[in-house]
Amino acid sequence: ALLNHDDEDDEAEIVEDEEGNEDEDEEEPYFDASMSPTYTAYLGKTATLTCIVHAAKSDKSVSWMRGRDLRILTVGRYTYTTDLRFEALHQQASTEWTLRIKSVQLRDQGNYECQITTRPISTFNVFLKVVEPTVEVLGAPDIYVNRASMINLTCIVHHAPYPPEAITWYHNNQSISYTSPRGGVSVVEERGETTTSFLLLQNARASDTGTFTCQPEGMQPALATLHVLDGEHQAAMQTNSSCVCAPKLSFLVVAFIVTCCAVL
């Protein structure tokens, strides 16, 4: 049958109405409520920022932007920066769009923005905190021990990307030799995310007084001043002890130190 112009116009209006209804019924992309607004990364390690978006219309509808310079870093699976440490990760049909930063540096700390190309643009801000390695000698800056007691100096390395290759102890700027005539020198180490080095000196004597330095390879040192007390000062310093306890020590290390400190 032939249609007149009025009938054609009516059909066009029906098609437009159906398309309009489809657009209205289509779900808008939205962020997952479980997303975290903060991330922590260790200096030198890899940071992974994940943006979870549901009902995304295309793989390119989600992007990552750096807050400090408003630079677009990734769009979908593509990376838009010449800094090769940054990488976009996304599997087709996945709800996760990931920004990966390798060999994290201190300047990477700050705000990052995940964006969805809606009208207007939807954004979710996250803050990346970069944690630096730290070194400490428990009880510093001043540690007091009684003469003839066991000296236990405990050095702890926090937040290192990898356990240090070596930890060297110094006494008054001279490296401590385990074969020196002094004798009674030993070191116990526990390695992991937190690395601990115990310097144990038997039979404390006046010559042990001075500055002890813990030097993990490639890191800033930590210092403590040791004071060896004779009988005249022991009463005034009864609250001080050479036995400083560190958290999460193995049973063997604890047993060894407790046995050594029993002479106090």
Side-chain angles (χ1 to χ4, degrees):
L2 298 176
L3 297 176
N4 58 31
H5 291 296
D6 292 338
D7 293 334
E8 291 177 354
D9 292 340
D10 290 342
E11 283 194 353
E13 289 178 2
I14 292 173
V15 171
E16 287 179 0
D17 289 342
E18 289 178 350
E19 290 179 349
N21 289 335
E22 288 179 359
D23 290 340
E24 290 177 3
D25 293 338
E26 186 175 358
E27 186 178 18
E28 282 291 313
Y30 62 95
F31 295 111
D32 192 283
S34 67
M35 288 169 53
S36 173
T38 58
Y39 288 81
T40 300
Y42 294 128
L43 184 68
K45 284 193 172 182
T46 298
T48 302
L49 311 183
T50 300
C51 187
I52 304 175
V53 178
H54 299 284
K57 292 184 172 61
S58 72
D59 289 347
K60 296 183 179 179
S61 62
V62 181
S63 59
W64 277 100
M65 176 180 290
R66 184 166 53 202
R68 62 180 167 85
D69 55 6
L70 300 181
R71 183 182 183 87
I72 295 176
L73 299 172
T74 69
V75 176
R77 294 181 292 110
Y78 300 95
T79 305
Y80 287 86
T81 175
T82 56
D83 191 336
L84 299 180
R85 298 181 305 112
F86 291 83
E87 182 181 11
L89 299 174
H90 175 67
Q91 298 293 330
Q92 189 171 4
S94 171
T95 59
E96 296 186 357
W97 279 260
T98 299
L99 172 64
R100 184 162 67 185
I101 311 173
K102 301 176 183 177
S103 301
V104 169
Q105 302 173 8
L106 291 177
R107 61 187 175 91
D108 295 324
Q109 178 169 293
N111 289 305
Y112 292 81
E113 189 175 278
C114 180
Q115 295 185 346
I116 310 176
T117 53
T118 54
R119 295 183 181 179
I121 291 177
S122 300
T123 62
F124 185 85
N125 290 292
V126 300
F127 183 82
L128 175 63
K129 180 180 179 181
V130 180
V131 180
E132 290 186 81
T134 58
V135 184
E136 66 167 332
V137 176
L138 295 186
D142 293 288
I143 299 174
Y144 298 87
V145 299
N146 296 325
R147 183 171 55 83
S149 67
M150 167 66 73
I151 300 171
N152 168 28
L153 299 180
T154 303
C155 179
I156 302 180
V157 180
H158 301 277
H159 310 312
Y162 305 99
E165 290 292 331
I167 298 178
T168 305
W169 285 92
Y170 296 87
H171 180 218
N172 294 332
N173 298 322
Q174 297 293 322
S175 62
I176 297 176
S177 173
Y178 311 120
T179 59
S180 68
R182 184 203 184 282
V185 180
S186 58
V187 171
V188 180
E189 289 188 0
E190 288 193 337
R191 295 179 172 273
E193 290 188 8
T194 298
T195 298
T196 306
S197 176
F198 305 92
L199 173 63
L200 305 172
L201 304 172
Q202 297 179 17
N203 192 23
R205 60 203 66 177
S207 59
D208 293 327
T209 296
T211 301
F212 282 81
T213 303
C214 172
Q215 176 65 79
E217 185 174 344
M219 300 178 62
Q220 293 294 320
L223 290 76
T225 300
L226 181 71
H227 305 270
V228 178
L229 307 177
D230 58 26
E232 296 178 359
H233 300 87
Q234 288 181 11
M237 303 301 299
Q238 284 180 357
T239 58
N240 291 286
S241 172
S242 62
C243 295
V244 182
C245 295
K248 298 182 179 179
L249 305 182
S250 69
F251 174 78
L252 291 177
V253 173
V254 171
F256 179 68
I257 294 175
V258 169
T259 300
C260 292
C261 293
V263 298
L264 293 180

